[in-house]
Amino acid sequence: MVSELTCLPIRFNFKTFLYRLAVNRVYIKTYGCQMNERDSEAVAVMLRNRGYSIVGSEHDADIVLLNTCSVRDQAEQKAIGKAGYLTNRKKKDPNFIVGIMGCMAQNQGSDLLDKLPDLDLIVGTQKFHRVPDHLDNIIQTLEGQGPQPAKLVDLEEEADSQNTIREHIEEDASVTSFVSIMQGCNMRCNFCIVPKTRGNERSRPIEHIVEEVEELVANGTREVTLLGQIVTSYGRNILPFKNKKSPFVQLIERVHEIEGLHRIRFTSPHPRGFKQDLIDAYAYLPKLSPYVHLPLQSGSDRMLKAMNRPYRVESYMKIVDGLRASAPDMAFSTDIIVGYPGETDEDFQETAQVFKQVGFNMGFIFKYSPRSGTVAAELEDDIPKEVKEARNHELLKVLEEQSMHSNQKLVGTTQEILVEGPARKGENMFMGRNPQFRKVIFPASERLVGELVQVKILESSVTTLKGELVLEGVEQNEPLLTV
Ligand code: SAH
Ligand code: F3S
């Protein structure tokens, strides 16, 4: 007699199913950049589709996955510390599963097992989409149902892996969303580990990206940030220039056509690929927000050369001036490394000078950290820690002053704000950003989330502006009402 159970698909195993019900809560902790955030979101969707539930805390989880960063040593140390703490938990609960994904997994591979022998899973940057299969295998093994998982360490390159970072969490549909347009980087900046961890440039087709943005917009997204390690190189290998426009500008134009989308941002461009076609785009594409994160790294030509950055301060400034000509209200942000081997006080002062000249009001200042496998790692890390610290501090002070000053100038003006959602503090307080990416807090109501509204700025601090809604139809000399 054939039992009912044998009629089920052969892969179905009742015992495993029950076990899965009990141990399917996954917490994903993300370190590092927006690309990592986006990868984690895509993994979360894949796991949900496989029947796992995603939880918001490691304490509620049966499985913790750390999506890691390798750009600086500190980021790796943090994740290793966390993984050590988590694998300890396995002593009490042997069924608890801990995995490391992303850049550190790719960078250190199975060497991680020397430090963390109880890790269950190590998944590289081109294998995020394999995580559900790996977890299924591990769970079956824990339950004594399957053979040892074929792969605990999965790091190989995989053609088309850039096309697997696609799905978004629909329930969390947010006003602003990140869209990964490419993976990897072909540049070889001497300090940077990214080409090693992320591989060569691989771009997604325009059609796929446009489809993804259309779906996001249908679910309530009003602003997208196009993501890649070097977005100005987007599509170089798959698309020709058209009317002197690069594939990246062609992509932006296509995304710009999507009805219902209000704003387009991107990160990060490279000064070398920031050509006139992209500069001009700011003048004729109103959804392209006038805020550019343009990594400078150093304001000294000598240092740029030493870093193998293929541009000089003069060409960087031409881009800045060109963008200001295209969009006079343009705001800039940047990345700077202080204390790169051989950086003298004069080199640093040149950086400080350019920093002021551009007037960055946002930016990231990093202390140089040697990364094994990079060209710079062969050089002596000769700038003392205190000097790196002092240079870092000096630039942060300039940044603070410039940010404070540019925010103060906005007091009394009316800004167009895209309402993102409730502010973290304050009843009926909402948060949004102006086109230049400045955060603004103001009283509003839920129905305005996702809308572009006019807000009069009343107060400013270094990081935030406060204001009130300007209601349509209100005469200038009437008192301004708040909702
Ligand atoms: N193009 C990438 C860069 C990734 S790394 C992007 O999309 O942003 C981010 C920043 O980290 C770099 O711009 C650089 O300023 C900094 N960085 C990279 N390697 C570093 C190192 N070894 N030490 C300190 N900072 C570093
Ligand atoms: Fe790194 Fe330079 Fe590419 S900073 S990501 S190698 S452009």
Side-chain angles (χ1 to χ4, degrees):
M1 192 188 124
V2 180
S3 79
E4 262 183 54
L5 265 181
T6 54
C7 296
L8 291 167
I10 26 172
R11 287 202 60 205
F12 184 87
N13 179 304
F14 194 60
K15 231 168 134 195
T16 311
F17 177 69
L18 284 179
Y19 186 74
R20 273 278 294 280
L21 282 181
V23 291
N24 68 356
R25 297 168 307 168
V26 184
Y27 174 61
I28 305 178
K29 182 170 174 62
T30 308
Y31 297 84
C33 63
Q34 287 130 328
M35 269 72 84
N36 286 8
E37 294 285 351
R38 180 65 197 100
D39 295 338
S40 293
E41 185 191 18
V43 172
V45 179
M46 294 174 214
L47 286 171
R48 265 196 194 172
N49 292 344
R50 193 63 75 81
Y52 291 83
S53 64
I54 304 298
V55 294
S57 150
E58 66 191 58
H59 305 292
D60 300 330
D62 312 295
I63 301 165
V64 176
L65 301 173
L66 305 180
N67 191 9
T68 54
C69 170
S70 285
V71 166
R72 282 164 295 278
D73 186 52
Q74 207 187 12
E76 286 203 348
Q77 293 313 324
K78 256 198 206 163
I80 288 174
K82 178 56 110 184
Y85 169 79
L86 290 167
T87 48
N88 256 339
R89 198 166 133 188
K90 288 169 77 77
K91 288 192 185 116
K92 273 196 240 134
D93 177 5
N95 290 336
F96 184 60
I97 296 170
V98 184
I100 290 192
M101 317 187 285
C103 286
M104 185 172 72
Q106 195 71 45
N107 184 34
Q108 298 204 25
S110 47
D111 289 355
L112 279 171
L113 293 172
D114 298 339
K115 294 169 211 136
L116 300 160
D118 293 327
L119 272 186
D120 297 285
L121 186 61
I122 299 174
V123 178
T125 52
Q126 302 197 24
K127 295 290 186 180
F128 287 113
H129 57 291
R130 298 280 298 144
V131 168
D133 283 347
H134 290 318
L135 286 183
D136 281 358
N137 284 343
I138 291 169
I139 289 172
Q140 283 193 3
T141 308
L142 281 174
E143 220 353 54
Q145 296 299 316
Q148 241 358 70
K151 271 189 188 168
L152 184 83
V153 181
D154 192 0
L155 304 171
E156 277 147 49
E157 285 182 12
E158 187 170 321
D160 291 336
S161 63
Q162 71 275 20
N163 294 324
T164 62
I165 305 300
R166 195 180 48 221
E167 309 300 338
H168 291 260
I169 299 181
E170 243 177 72
E171 307 86 285
D172 292 357
S174 63
V175 172
T176 85
S177 295
F178 293 110
V179 173
S180 169
I181 64 168
M182 66 185 298
Q183 298 277 340
C185 179
N186 288 1
M187 303 301 277
R188 293 291 177 265
C189 301
N190 285 344
F191 50 79
C192 186
I193 200 166
V194 169
K196 179 178 167 193
T197 58
R198 290 276 173 174
N200 282 336
E201 290 164 13
R202 286 119 43 223
S203 298
R204 297 177 60 201
I206 285 190
E207 294 307 329
H208 291 193
I209 299 167
V210 169
E211 240 169 61
E212 182 178 327
V213 179
E214 279 170 348
E215 271 169 36
L216 283 167
V217 171
N219 285 326
T221 288
R222 295 293 171 258
E223 171 185 284
V224 286
T225 304
L226 307 175
L227 290 181
Q229 299 291 350
I230 178 156
V231 290
T232 35
S233 295
Y234 169 79
R236 276 202 307 193
N237 312 328
I238 54 173
L239 275 174
F241 274 58
K242 214 156 87 197
N243 304 326
K244 296 203 178 135
K245 287 174 187 165
S246 63
F248 184 51
V249 171
Q250 293 172 41
L251 169 70
I252 295 174
E253 286 184 349
R254 288 289 306 280
V255 172
H256 196 273
E257 284 168 17
I258 297 171
E259 235 170 272
L261 183 70
H262 295 326
R263 288 179 178 172
I264 302 170
R265 303 184 189 278
F266 54 81
T267 198
S268 296
H270 191 291
R272 183 161 88 167
F274 217 115
K275 302 283 195 245
Q276 199 58 41
D277 61 333
L278 184 52
I279 292 173
D280 291 343
Y282 281 87
Y284 69 89
L285 297 177
K287 295 180 185 178
L288 200 47
S289 294
Y291 165 78
V292 172
H293 175 76
L294 189 59
L296 169 66
Q297 311 301 358
S298 173
S300 149
D301 281 347
R302 204 180 73 84
M303 281 292 108
L304 289 174
K305 199 162 170 227
M307 291 172 168
N308 197 28
R309 297 281 293 182
Y311 55 90
R312 299 296 168 255
V313 172
E314 193 188 347
S315 45
Y316 186 96
M317 289 310 300
K318 272 200 185 133
I319 302 170
V320 169
D321 294 342
L323 281 166
R324 287 212 162 111
S326 259
D329 53 354
M330 180 69 71
F332 291 94
S333 152
T334 198
D335 287 344
I336 301 282
I337 297 178
V338 294
Y340 185 77
E343 186 190 59
T344 62
D345 274 338
E346 275 140 38
D347 292 317
F348 172 69
Q349 285 312 324
E350 285 180 34
T351 301
Q353 182 53 39
V354 179
F355 204 87
K356 290 174 196 161
Q357 198 181 335
V358 180
F360 294 115
N361 55 15
M362 272 167 276
F364 301 88
I365 323 289
F366 302 109
K367 287 172 271 182
Y368 170 67
S369 163
R371 310 308 296 128
S372 77
T374 61
V375 171
E378 305 300 316
L379 306 171
E380 190 194 344
D381 181 17
D382 59 350
I383 308 301
K385 212 167 148 231
E386 310 77 65
V387 175
K388 285 183 187 169
E389 196 66 60
R391 289 176 184 170
N392 184 57
H393 186 74
E394 189 175 328
L395 279 190
L396 283 176
K397 239 179 86 196
V398 176
L399 184 63
E400 197 178 304
E401 277 160 20
Q402 292 182 167
S403 180
M404 176 81 101
H405 182 67
S406 73
N407 273 357
Q408 268 166 1
K409 280 206 303 198
L410 295 177
V411 174
T413 66
T414 296
Q415 299 285 310
E416 185 188 70
I417 306 299
L418 176 62
V419 187
E420 293 186 17
R424 259 189 273 153
K425 281 191 275 178
E427 212 177 316
N428 297 327
M429 296 303 276
F430 283 73
M431 192 284 272
R433 288 183 194 266
N434 75 353
Q436 290 79 14
F437 206 57
R438 301 312 296 206
K439 199 193 266 185
V440 184
I441 310 284
F442 49 97
S445 64
E446 191 67 38
R447 70 184 173 82
L448 292 177
V449 171
E451 301 286 320
L452 288 170
V453 296
Q454 299 295 317
V455 172
K456 182 166 182 183
I457 306 301
L458 303 172
E459 272 178 54
S460 71
S461 71
V462 177
T463 52
T464 313
L465 299 161
K466 285 189 181 153
E468 63 185 9
L469 283 169
V470 178
L471 297 181
E472 263 175 44
V474 176
E475 294 295 326
Q476 264 194 336
N477 52 1
E478 277 182 50
L480 288 166
L481 304 174
T482 55
V483 173

